[in-house]
Amino acid sequence: MHEDFDRCVRAVRSRDARFDGWFYTAVRTTRIYCRPSCPGMPPKAENMTFFPSAAAAQQAGYRACKRCRPDASPGSPQWNERADLAARAMRLIADGVVDRAGVPGLAARLGYSVRQVERQLLAEFGAGPLALARAQRAQTARLLIETTALPMSEVAAAAGFGSIRTFNDTVREVFALPPTELRLRAGRQVASPGVISLRLPFRQPLCPDNLFGHLAATAIPGVEEWRDGAYRRTLRLPHGTGIATLRPTTDHIACQLALTDLRDLARAISRCRRLLDLDADPIAVDDLLAADPVLAPHVRRDPGRRVARTVDGGELAIRAVLGQQVSIAAAKSHLARLVHDHGDHVHDPGGALTHLFPTAATLAELDPDRFALPRARRDTIAALVAALAANAIDLGVGADRERARARLAALPGFGPWTVETIAMRALGDPDAFLPGDLTVRAASRALGLPHTPSALTAHASAWRPWRAYAVQYLWAIADPRG
């Protein structure tokens, strides 16, 4: 979109927040870049230039606006919607792969050469993987500077900088202030060591009912809970563990992260955003779905429904298999036993969280007969955890969706419902569809839509590429509670 100059100018002049994260406005006279919705006086059109990413603006020598904080705007919805190399790379960079494994590690995860990845990202986002990762480190550093009392040397290390000098230079370059002054301007710090409080922005509208209702209804005791109007869960992160507390408000998600290692901050934020589908474009989704006269009144009544996704693809796949053909209560009972017996313990002074979800490697070492399940289901679980433990199936943020679908479908006991559930919630495919789901079929029947899988799939072709969101509306029609 950043190449459509006139459209970008209109968005800036109308301060249209829907385009935050789609592009960034740089002002040649001030050398500052902003989000489209910046509350400041819009610059003259002849002084504007547009970039596809904050990293590209920073690389061109522009500083982040202190009023609108463009580096903290929601990510482009295309990064999660698309399944191509560039989008997969962006999801992996947000999850910290470049910080942990460098650009060669990123390229290996994607299955391309370093040169191909760098060329594609430069063409798509105006910056290479190192610059994109650097922009993320700068945003993480600012969060730590403004919300903790950590010494700057510890902030630099936690944000992923190799030296305090690089940290200081980057903060000055990106924010036009030295780290100490940035902290003084913020004027607030959290009291609890290791706890970060922040706001997770999203594009309006957002309907929190189905999103948080689903998470609360399916919460595994010990791993997740609904407490005092917030969803809480444990996180397994690259350098340690964490507990996320997520509370919906009218214009943001209030997020509190308790981390054993602050180097995991950026990864924890990325996973919480993905869990809640906060980078979605609800206007585009709802405009298309509302074109169907049957769905239109439901879309108008509750606009902005999101897909509840996951913080861990392997965990979601195991949960999907244990949820096959059983009630939510029965699935939660199986999962609670699994977590209690094989999950690692965590300490949660603020609630009732007790465990991390067990890893696939841990479960792969168990005798399948220890699972209190029918023989066929035990075989399915055993095949799944063995494939995940051996890295034969990638369900991470940068996974090739179609390859993952094919490998899941080849496992025993994996039918279309299980594969598409994993595609929708673990792989983040916005077009995943569940025509055989009993609740979807019941809602379709109630609306007078075709309700056999083949006929409903044919009708739903008009909902592409947002069929996963149509499923959310159909589920809500069948169960008005969420």
Side-chain angles (χ1 to χ4, degrees):
M1 179 177 172
H2 72 286
E3 296 177 345
D4 190 335
F5 186 86
D6 292 339
R7 189 181 181 196
C8 288
V9 169
R10 289 195 299 271
V12 171
R13 287 177 172 169
S14 62
R15 297 184 174 90
D16 196 332
R18 292 178 300 170
F19 294 103
D20 287 355
W22 281 94
F23 69 90
Y24 296 81
T25 307
V27 186
R28 285 189 286 267
T29 52
T30 63
R31 304 304 294 175
I32 289 172
Y33 76 95
C34 303
R35 61 173 77 194
S37 65
C38 181
M41 181 69 69
K44 294 179 180 179
E46 58 265 29
N47 293 328
M48 296 184 200
T49 189
F50 303 105
F51 290 96
S53 66
Q58 293 171 17
Q59 193 166 254
Y62 291 90
R63 306 186 309 274
C65 173
K66 296 182 179 69
R67 294 189 67 180
C68 70
R69 301 190 170 201
D71 54 306
S73 62
S76 169
Q78 292 191 345
W79 298 351
N80 288 331
E81 169 193 338
R82 289 163 34 187
D84 57 16
L85 168 62
R88 291 168 58 206
M90 287 300 294
R91 293 196 289 270
L92 286 169
I93 291 169
D95 201 50
V97 168
V98 171
D99 290 338
R100 296 193 301 274
V103 178
L106 172 68
R109 289 283 298 273
L110 294 167
Y112 289 84
S113 71
V114 169
R115 183 179 178 184
Q116 287 174 304
V117 171
E118 290 178 335
R119 184 172 61 242
Q120 186 69 31
L121 292 183
L122 189 61
E124 185 79 22
F125 303 115
L130 288 176
L132 292 162
R134 176 180 179 269
Q136 178 172 283
R137 285 195 294 273
Q139 164 64 2
T140 303
R142 191 182 70 181
L143 280 172
L144 291 170
I145 290 167
E146 294 181 340
T147 63
T148 76
L150 286 174
M152 292 303 174
S153 59
E154 294 184 29
V155 170
F161 289 94
S163 70
I164 190 69
R165 179 178 178 178
T166 303
F167 162 73
N168 286 329
D169 290 346
T170 299
V171 171
R172 286 194 188 95
E173 181 181 337
V174 173
F175 304 113
L177 290 171
T180 51
E181 190 172 340
L182 201 59
R183 175 167 284 173
L184 287 173
R185 285 173 61 93
R188 56 187 171 82
Q189 295 165 2
V190 297
S192 303
V195 177
I196 308 294
S197 295
L198 61 147
R199 296 181 171 201
L200 301 182
F202 55 78
R203 293 177 182 82
Q204 296 278 12
L206 180 140
C207 178
D209 297 345
N210 77 306
L211 183 60
F212 284 90
H214 178 90
L215 293 172
T218 59
I220 306 171
V223 174
E224 305 164 284
E225 68 171 352
W226 180 260
R227 179 181 291 266
D228 300 329
Y231 167 77
R232 306 179 73 245
R233 73 152 293 148
T234 59
L235 302 171
R236 186 186 299 276
L237 297 162
H239 299 101
T241 64
I243 292 175
T245 302
L246 303 166
R247 179 176 287 104
T249 74
T250 56
D251 62 353
H252 68 275
I253 302 297
C255 173
Q256 187 176 76
L257 294 168
L259 305 173
T260 59
D261 191 321
L262 287 176
R263 288 178 296 174
D264 287 322
L265 177 60
R267 265 65 72 194
I269 293 171
S270 174
R271 293 179 190 188
C272 289
R273 293 192 64 81
R274 185 170 174 80
L275 170 70
L276 301 180
D277 197 17
L278 296 186
D279 290 322
D281 183 357
I283 300 298
V285 172
D286 289 351
D287 282 353
L288 185 141
L289 296 183
D292 188 320
V294 176
L295 290 182
H298 303 280
V299 174
R300 287 194 295 267
R301 185 184 65 202
D302 293 310
R305 289 192 179 274
R306 300 298 208 273
V307 178
R309 303 206 191 277
T310 184
V311 297
D312 185 280
E315 174 190 315
L316 190 280
I318 294 166
R319 295 173 70 155
V321 170
L322 288 176
Q324 290 175 342
Q325 300 175 347
V326 298
S327 67
I328 290 177
K332 287 176 64 172
S333 178
H334 285 307
L335 288 162
R337 286 197 299 271
L338 193 70
V339 165
H340 181 270
D341 292 343
H342 307 293
D344 296 329
H345 288 272
V346 296
H347 177 57
D348 176 25
L353 302 181
T354 58
H355 289 81
L356 298 170
F357 194 86
T359 65
T362 296
L363 298 178
E365 294 176 353
L366 301 179
D367 182 346
D369 289 338
R370 295 184 63 177
F371 296 112
L373 297 167
R375 168 60 66 181
R377 193 76 51 79
R378 285 188 304 223
D379 291 344
T380 300
I381 282 286
L384 172 63
V385 297
L388 292 171
N391 295 318
I393 297 179
D394 181 6
L395 300 179
V397 294
D400 181 314
R401 291 169 181 165
E402 294 313 308
R403 181 182 301 158
R405 272 186 169 97
R407 292 186 175 179
L408 287 169
L411 295 177
F414 271 77
W417 182 91
T418 308
V419 171
E420 288 303 295
T421 295
I422 296 169
M424 180 170 66
R425 298 194 57 204
L427 299 173
D429 187 348
D431 201 40
F433 193 50
L434 307 174
D437 182 82
L438 294 178
T439 305
V440 167
R441 294 180 66 185
S444 300
R445 186 181 291 108
L447 292 173
L449 293 172
H451 53 271
T452 63
S454 59
L456 182 57
T457 298
H459 179 88
S461 63
W463 302 339
R464 306 191 76 166
W466 309 120
R467 293 184 300 176
Y469 295 89
V471 169
Q472 310 310 306
Y473 283 102
L474 293 172
W475 278 343
I477 290 165
D479 183 359
R481 294 172 296 176

